[in-house]
Amino acid sequence: AEDGIRDYKVTGVQRVLFRSEFTRQIWAGLGHRAASLGTLGVVRPEGAQYGALTTPDPVSLHRMLQDLADGGITHLAMEASSHGLDQFRLDGVRLAAGAFNNLGRDHLDYHPTMEAYLAAKLRLFEALLAPGQPAVVNADGPYADRAAVAARARGLALSTTGVAGETLRLKGVTRDGFAQRLNIEVAGRQREIRVDLVGDYQAGNALVAAGLAIACGADRKSTRLNSSHLVISYAVFCLK
């Protein structure tokens, strides 16, 4: 990223825009000037600017990064689309961390096989992150093992989330009207947080976003508390 911005990439398909936006909201709740970049365009404290591509072309991307840095943004969560990874649009961007959530069948119009689709996604771990940098994997997805193997082979600092996760382990979910209470085990302690969103996938999204924040130095207790205030903008409802 441009000087002054810590750049976190989020890859995975189903509702990836939630994870990048959730990560932005967590950082903002911790007092950082944070932005997200992806399906919704650029979302920053001053508002949103909508774009055409999840991952812009390299020239447009670096222009956006410079604009964010000039505007005082210090933390950016960006969606890393399989198209962008496969077409090397993200090469040359200095990253701080990356995450892999899952793999569906959303873009088989572009990728000839699921193996090719997975290979494009794993470039985030295998080529773009440097050894020693944090990698967060949702351990509950069918390709989680492959992502974890790629992260370890690269020498990344692996964190896992979800029911099968080791860093943020989801022990149970209790529905609470249009919200849900998550029972989480973190650092050997049981915690409960209320997330004002419904759906198992949203619980997973919140944990991946919190995992990214924690992996990059955020205080675990503060991150946990801020995760309880995640919201969806009206634009996301229109896209569902």
Side-chain angles (χ1 to χ4, degrees), residues 35-122:
S36 63
L37 195 163
T39 305
L40 296 179
V42 179
V43 180
R44 64 180 89 196
E46 295 78 16
Q49 179 182 353
Y50 300 103
L53 296 174
T54 298
T55 304
D57 67 86
V59 173
S60 298
L61 174 57
H62 283 270
R63 186 180 296 119
M64 290 176 182
L65 293 176
Q66 185 63 61
D67 180 62
L68 290 169
D70 292 344
I73 296 298
T74 60
H75 292 67
L76 172 68
M78 178 178 171
E79 298 172 41
S81 71
S82 60
H83 296 66
L85 290 165
D86 188 58
Q87 295 172 13
F88 309 102
R89 299 179 202 167
L90 298 169
D91 291 42
V93 177
R94 297 195 300 275
L95 309 179
F100 179 93
N101 190 66
N102 57 24
L103 195 71
R105 304 179 66 83
D106 302 48
H107 298 304
L108 291 180
D109 57 334
Y110 175 85
H111 303 285
T113 64
M114 287 298 291
E115 281 297 314
Y117 193 178
L118 179 63
K121 286 292 187 180
L122 292 184

Side-chain angles (χ1 to χ4, degrees), residues 8 10 18-28 77 209 212-213:
Y8 307 87
V10 184
F18 295 128
R19 286 180 292 283
S20 58
E21 173 59 11
F22 289 174
T23 306
R24 182 197 69 80
Q25 291 182 30
I26 290 173
W27 282 121
L212 269 174

Side-chain angles (χ1 to χ4, degrees), residues 171-222:
K171 303 292 287 187
V173 178
T174 303
R175 304 305 177 196
D176 187 7
F178 290 103
Q180 53 188 326
R181 296 185 181 276
L182 311 183
N183 183 8
I184 302 167
E185 181 180 311
V186 52
R189 295 186 176 185
Q190 300 287 324
R191 307 287 188 183
E192 183 180 84
I193 64 171
R194 184 179 187 272
V195 176
D196 292 331
L197 302 165
V198 296
D200 291 342
Y201 67 89
Q202 296 291 22
N205 290 338
L207 291 181
V208 169
L212 269 174
I214 291 170
C216 296
D219 176 72
R220 295 188 181 200
K221 182 177 180 181
S222 297

Side-chain angles (χ1 to χ4, degrees), residues 116-189:
Y117 193 178
L118 179 63
K121 286 292 187 180
L122 292 184
R123 284 200 70 246
L124 179 62
F125 289 174
E126 296 174 340
L128 300 187
L129 289 176
Q133 289 187 299
V136 179
V137 172
N138 176 0
D140 298 333
Y143 294 92
D145 289 346
R146 298 277 297 275
V149 167
R152 292 190 181 100
R154 180 69 166 170
L156 304 178
L158 178 65
S159 299
T160 56
T161 65
V163 174
E166 296 181 359
T167 309
L168 293 175
R169 177 166 292 176
L170 183 61
K171 303 292 287 187
V173 178
T174 303
R175 304 305 177 196
D176 187 7
F178 290 103
Q180 53 188 326
R181 296 185 181 276
L182 311 183
N183 183 8
I184 302 167
E185 181 180 311
V186 52
R189 295 186 176 185

